[in-house]
Amino acid sequence: MSELSVNHLLGIKNLTYDDLQLIFEIADQFKEVINRPIKKVPSLRDITIANVFFENSTRTRLSFELAEKRLSADVINFSSSSSSVKKGETLLDTVNNILAMKVDMIVMRHPSPGAPHFLAKHIKANIVNAGDGTHEHPTQALLDTFSIRSKHTSFEGLKVAIIGDILHSRVAISNIFALKKLGAEVMVCGPNTLIPKFIHTLGVQVELDVMKALQWCDVANVLRIQLERQQIKYFPSTREYSLYYGINKAMLDSLDKEITIMHPGPINRGVELASDVADSDHSIILDQVENGVAIRMAVLYLLASVRSNQ
Ligand code: CP
């Protein structure tokens, strides 16, 4: 297979196993490219990409922009805080105005679940979802699984625990879809109030005790508490959350095996992860960031190939 089954990357849910493998194979090649002295290839020389961010971002936005520049695309950046959205313009009007400037692809982060799906129905450009509310963050799950693939020989039977605020996490949902498609076993762990009621329907185990989750897993993907999405209190205090769910080195040392620690960032040090874990040899957090550029290059390259074959 040399082409994706989709025109847009809206979520992992609608990707096939073959799509995931193809993205990984192309990302392997781009990872080699970005480790060369000359890190740029001309693959997207004729393509213009708009990065449209209606929510804050450090990693995703910089990683997409770097991926686009490494592929020689023309790049424009838009952030809602300094735009005419503040004057009442609709999402569709904003994007149509950007497209009128002959833009081929839109990378969009938006606080509303389904916003990129809505756009994909109304405009011709390829859409890449860079995170839509609490729904999906597909390139994060791709870079997470790509990073696991570099560290572990096979997904078949691999045990991955996703620990933290599952209720508000698009990273958790996209990771569950990707890991299940690849053959891994998935557990979610966190306070009962931060585990969505529907989670069993995704074929994952639920564990409320973080030590039991660590004893069970080969890989722990630790998530931050998303206070910015919480209108009510889901646990008494950050200090109490940290006491019951924070992971420190003593906990890892007490296990009878080595596990891999991941985090999508941004980390709240001392809350979900102690610094002696985040910065330890167990952690592949910065590998995830490095792999993000290669994965996003692969996604953009493959979507551009689908576009040129239409
Ligand atoms: N992991 C992630 O999405 O980070 P940013 O919010 O900084 O993009």
Side-chain angles (χ1 to χ4, degrees):
M1 189 177 126
S2 60
E3 214 174 72
L4 290 177
S5 66
V6 291
N7 298 336
H8 309 282
L9 180 62
L10 301 178
I12 301 292
K13 189 178 182 179
N14 39 17
L15 293 185
T16 64
Y17 174 84
D18 286 345
D19 287 330
L20 297 178
Q21 294 300 343
L22 178 61
I23 293 167
F24 291 161
E25 282 162 26
I26 302 293
D28 281 333
Q29 294 171 29
F30 284 132
K31 190 166 173 180
E32 199 208 309
V33 168
I34 59 179
N35 280 295
R36 286 185 202 152
I38 296 170
K39 300 173 172 59
K40 216 164 165 159
V41 286
S43 315
L44 297 194
R45 212 172 35 197
D46 305 326
I47 299 285
T48 303
I49 304 177
N51 299 312
V52 180
F53 277 66
F54 291 89
E55 250 190 13
N56 294 342
S57 170
T58 300
R59 278 145 293 271
T60 311
R61 185 172 173 160
L62 290 178
S63 179
F64 266 113
E65 189 172 343
L66 203 53
E68 291 151 7
K69 289 180 171 167
R70 298 278 189 249
L71 292 167
S72 306
D74 289 322
V75 180
I76 54 172
N77 290 306
F78 166 96
S79 94
S80 61
S81 56
S82 57
S83 76
S84 290
V85 169
K86 292 274 174 215
K87 301 175 193 163
E89 190 167 61
T90 66
L91 171 63
L92 194 54
D93 280 341
T94 300
V95 172
N96 273 328
N97 276 274
I98 294 169
L99 290 177
M101 299 177 210
K102 308 295 176 215
V103 166
D104 304 295
M105 285 193 201
I106 303 266
V107 174
M108 185 172 79
R109 171 168 287 191
H110 200 282
S112 301
H117 304 68
F118 167 78
L119 270 197
K121 286 198 180 115
H122 290 91
I123 61 175
K124 280 205 182 116
N126 306 98
I127 311 289
V128 182
N129 180 2
D132 61 328
T134 55
H135 181 220
E136 279 227 42
H137 191 349
T139 56
Q140 181 68 47
L142 289 168
L143 75 88
D144 288 344
T145 45
F146 184 72
S147 303
I148 293 173
R149 175 178 169 270
S150 309
K151 181 93 185 170
H152 295 267
T153 45
S154 167
F155 284 100
E156 216 51 55
L158 189 76
K159 292 177 173 159
V160 181
I162 304 173
I163 301 171
D165 182 355
I166 312 298
L167 185 66
H168 299 98
S169 177
R170 54 196 176 206
V171 174
I173 301 300
S174 288
N175 262 272
I176 291 169
F177 285 136
L179 289 162
K180 297 288 295 179
K181 282 178 203 278
L182 292 164
E185 290 179 45
V186 184
M187 172 185 279
V188 294
C189 173
N192 218 352
T193 48
L194 290 176
I195 306 280
K197 298 278 176 284
F198 68 83
I199 206 77
H200 295 97
T201 64
L202 303 182
V204 302
Q205 298 183 52
V206 176
E207 175 59 66
L208 304 181
D209 181 331
V210 75
M211 261 328 286
K212 285 188 183 159
L214 294 176
Q215 275 153 359
W216 175 84
C217 72
D218 303 302
V219 177
N221 196 352
V222 185
L223 308 177
R224 140 188 105 83
I225 297 293
Q226 300 199 31
L227 290 173
E228 74 276 21
R229 296 194 204 280
Q230 299 181 11
Q231 264 78 52
I232 59 167
K233 264 188 170 295
Y234 290 87
F235 48 89
S237 67
T238 308
R239 183 172 144 72
E240 185 159 323
Y241 178 85
S242 174
L243 274 174
Y244 284 97
Y245 287 96
I247 298 171
N248 57 45
K249 187 157 181 300
M251 291 160 80
L252 298 189
D253 288 346
S254 74
L255 302 174
D256 56 11
K257 59 180 176 182
E258 281 227 345
I259 64 168
T260 304
I261 296 289
M262 304 175 66
H263 194 302
I267 303 173
N268 287 143
R269 283 178 184 260
V271 180
E272 68 270 11
L273 272 188
S275 283
D276 59 9
V277 175
D279 304 329
S280 71
D281 291 343
H282 295 274
S283 160
I284 59 165
I285 294 170
L286 292 179
D287 298 338
Q288 290 171 257
V289 178
E290 179 185 342
N291 288 333
V293 178
I295 278 290
R296 290 178 174 119
M297 287 172 81
V299 166
L300 296 166
Y301 171 81
L302 286 165
L303 288 177
S305 310
V306 176
R307 180 182 187 80
S308 63
N309 291 339
Q310 274 173 348

